[in-house]
Amino acid sequence: MRLLKRPKPVESAVSDSERELFGGPLRYDLGWTDHEWDFLETSLLSAVRAMPRMVAGTLRLAWRTDRPALLTVGVAEAGQGLTAALGLLVVNSVLGSLLADGSAADRVSDAVPALIAGAVVAVAGALLASWSTSAAGRLEPKVERAANEQYLHAAARVELEAIEDGEFRRLIDTAQHGPPSARRMVGACVATMNGVISLLAVGGVLTVLHPLLLPMLLLIAAPRGWGAMRVSQRRYLSVMAWVEHLRASRLIAGLLISRSAAHEVRVHGVGRFLLRHYRNMAESAETEATRLAKDKAATELLAAALSGVAALITYGAMAALIMSGRMELAVAGTAVVAVRSGSASLGALVMTTNSLHEESLYVRDMERFLTEAGNRSIPSGGLPLPEPTKVITLEGVSFSYPGRETPALAELSLTIPMGSVVALVGENGSGKSTLVKLLAGLHLPDSGRLAWDGVDVAEADREQIFDRVSLLTQDFERWPVTARANIEIGRPDAADGDLTAAARYSGADLIAETLPKGFDTLLARVFRGASELSGGQWQKFGLARAQYRDARMIVVDEPTSALDPGAEIAAFDRIRGLADERRAVVLVTHRMSGVRYADLIYVLHEGRLVEQGDHESLLAAGGRYASMFHMQAEQYGHGAGAGTGVPHQGGSAPKPT
């Protein structure tokens, strides 16, 4: 008969903030856990049987990270179990001496050797416990670090479409509990090992004293095991259901202290708005916590009552044995100590086994994530790319995002020769960003062929594709590291990169001269003593990073959005200068001042290629490109700056259309 029934998730009210900010409840549908209930629907006994399987993965991880520490823990815990058994034998000897016939002085004198032995055993047990604690303290953080590395490595290796998939994001959310749970499992394993060995020692002594005492001991601890497991499983269900709600609450709290949101938080009064919603969502979570606390209190009260009844039955049975003459008084005294000690050991074992059970649920989530991440990871190996590459071609390429009926790209065919500057033009939603992701190897075409000198990217070594691509997007990462590292991170493993040349090329060297520590200045105002750059200065560092990477194809997306007109012209000149016989530049921009000098211009509309050519031929054709060009020229006014992207006196750079 099962001690546990399947726990049911409890439906909770949806807060007003969830509806207003996120459009509905932030609760995961726990239907995905149905196939896991063979693991969750378990009795105390089956959990004990499953314990080796639950902890095997963590122990293997511990074995790989610090083998000597793991062996030390094992030896020390085995030694403590031995001292526990010896301690009970000492108690029996002492009681036997004290309750024997003879004078009080003789009985005390006879008990002295056993008392001395007991003191030695106690000291040995304390030393072994200290030794185990020290080794476990060294092992636990290493296990957590190794588990975190597995988790982060797997997350960094998956395809981009997995990161953009909401269901996979759920796996990432739940798996983040795995590494700290793996660390806690080390401590739980130590405690469980100690409990098992101690219980075996106590059980052996009780069996010798009287065979009836051992099942009585199990009867005392069984209700506590039932209560602990029921509480842990309900807590696990709650954590899984509320994980997205928790992430949303943290997001709101993060916005309140974010540097990027600081202006609107203060000027627009967004701080009060966000704080109100944070409080509303926190109160909703508190309601769930209160429900769990009440359920835990009721469960533990029932378990304690049942355990008390079992203890009463046990001591009653012992009294009957004494009165019937089938148990001596000295043996009974030892049995009382052993039952109390065994009950405590078994109760602790139940709790630690339950802790292993609970923590293993989270480690199991991480293992599920690692398996899924492995299935969706970027493949290793493939056909090598030609060196040098001469041309990149797209032939009838189509691509659709999951869940969208309209393709982002449809039947797209174009070429990107090395040594050229290729511009991608089109309104928002025309497919430019999707095309950039395909060129960079972040997505693969659903149909058609994208090839580097005839080598299809679907069959190529993706690492080689990444190695030959450099991305400089409008929102490129402003890494919170030094100015030097912000450039060198363009190719972190480069042993012979020329930082000076890259910085001089973009103008970042002049910016570095104004920084307190030059290139060693930390560019993150969230740290004490650090500096911050303006948007235009950051873009010069981004351009330096792209030049430092020395890739075969440099993709720049809106690279001059934060620059003034004069700096914009200079930046476009530098970007065009990156193209040479072994390198192509793909330029995505709304600024015609950069587009007009491109060797090839591809005009996209609703995912299709509608026009192509150079600036003059496209203007002469009078199509979509010409319309966009003249519309922007009118924004700038007529005269010297018309059509060049340079605003007239008093004008301002146009907003991207």
Side-chain angles (χ1 to χ4, degrees), residues 295-621:
D295 180 80
K296 178 181 179 182
T299 301
E300 290 181 345
L301 179 60
L302 177 59
L306 294 174
S307 183
V309 171
L312 184 62
I313 294 173
T314 299
Y315 291 126
M318 289 177 60
L321 290 172
I322 294 172
M323 295 176 66
S324 65
R326 284 178 287 182
M327 180 179 289
E328 297 180 0
L329 194 57
V331 172
T334 304
V336 169
V337 174
V339 167
R340 290 181 63 84
S341 175
S343 177
S345 296
L346 188 54
L349 178 60
V350 167
M351 297 303 293
T352 55
T353 302
N354 172 69
S355 178
L356 277 176
H357 173 74
E358 181 175 2
E359 300 299 348
S360 69
L361 297 177
Y362 299 104
V363 173
R364 189 178 178 89
D365 286 332
M366 186 181 73
E367 292 174 350
R368 186 184 301 114
F369 160 76
L370 293 176
T371 300
E372 184 65 18
N375 294 335
R376 303 184 67 169
S377 65
I378 298 170
S380 299
L383 298 178
L385 297 181
E387 180 60 36
T389 300
K390 296 180 180 178
V391 65
I392 300 171
T393 57
L394 284 80
E395 301 172 359
V397 167
S398 297
F399 178 82
S400 298
Y401 289 102
R404 298 184 186 178
E405 297 181 1
T406 304
L409 296 175
E411 298 295 326
L412 198 65
S413 298
L414 55 85
T415 60
I416 302 174
M418 293 300 110
S420 65
V421 176
V422 175
L424 303 179
V425 175
E427 66 274 14
N428 291 334
S430 61
K432 303 187 300 298
S433 296
T434 301
L435 177 55
V436 165
K437 292 176 183 177
L438 264 66
L439 291 174
L442 295 172
H443 287 313
L444 296 178
D446 294 335
S447 61
R449 190 168 184 264
L450 194 164
W452 290 60
D453 272 357
V455 177
D456 195 327
V457 295
E459 302 174 352
D461 185 341
R462 297 276 290 285
E463 289 296 333
Q464 288 194 22
I465 296 176
F466 296 149
D467 183 68
R468 299 187 184 197
V469 175
S470 177
L471 291 176
L472 177 58
T473 61
Q474 181 178 358
D475 56 350
F476 70 91
E477 194 65 37
R478 278 75 163 165
W479 299 103
V481 293
T482 64
R484 181 187 307 278
N486 257 289
I487 295 176
E488 293 179 342
I489 205 170
R491 191 169 289 277
D493 301 326
D496 55 352
D498 194 339
L499 172 73
T500 303
R504 185 184 303 116
Y505 185 85
S506 69
D509 58 332
L510 300 178
I511 299 172
E513 291 177 0
T514 67
L515 298 175
K517 297 182 181 179
F519 283 110
D520 294 321
T521 302
L522 178 60
L523 302 181
R525 288 294 294 275
V526 293
F527 296 107
R528 181 172 53 86
S531 298
E532 182 59 283
L533 303 180
S534 67
Q537 290 175 322
W538 267 118
Q539 288 197 311
K540 291 182 179 181
F541 269 84
L543 183 57
R545 186 187 304 167
Q547 204 278 344
Y548 182 87
R549 181 162 177 77
D550 191 28
R552 297 297 175 265
M553 179 173 63
I554 300 178
V555 180
V556 286
D557 188 351
E558 294 297 343
T560 63
S561 59
L563 300 182
D564 57 73
E568 178 184 10
I569 295 173
F572 274 128
D573 288 339
R574 292 190 181 99
I575 291 170
R576 287 192 297 270
L578 292 173
D580 57 32
E581 61 182 10
R582 63 188 185 89
R583 182 188 295 123
V585 173
V586 177
L587 179 62
V588 182
T589 182
H590 295 84
R591 307 289 185 93
M592 296 305 181
S593 56
V595 171
R596 65 183 303 174
Y597 295 110
D599 300 298
L600 280 169
I601 301 172
Y602 294 110
V603 183
L604 303 181
H605 178 64
E606 295 182 350
R608 297 181 179 275
L609 179 62
V610 294
E611 296 178 16
Q612 59 180 308
D614 59 18
H615 174 72
E616 297 299 334
S617 64
L618 289 174
L619 276 185

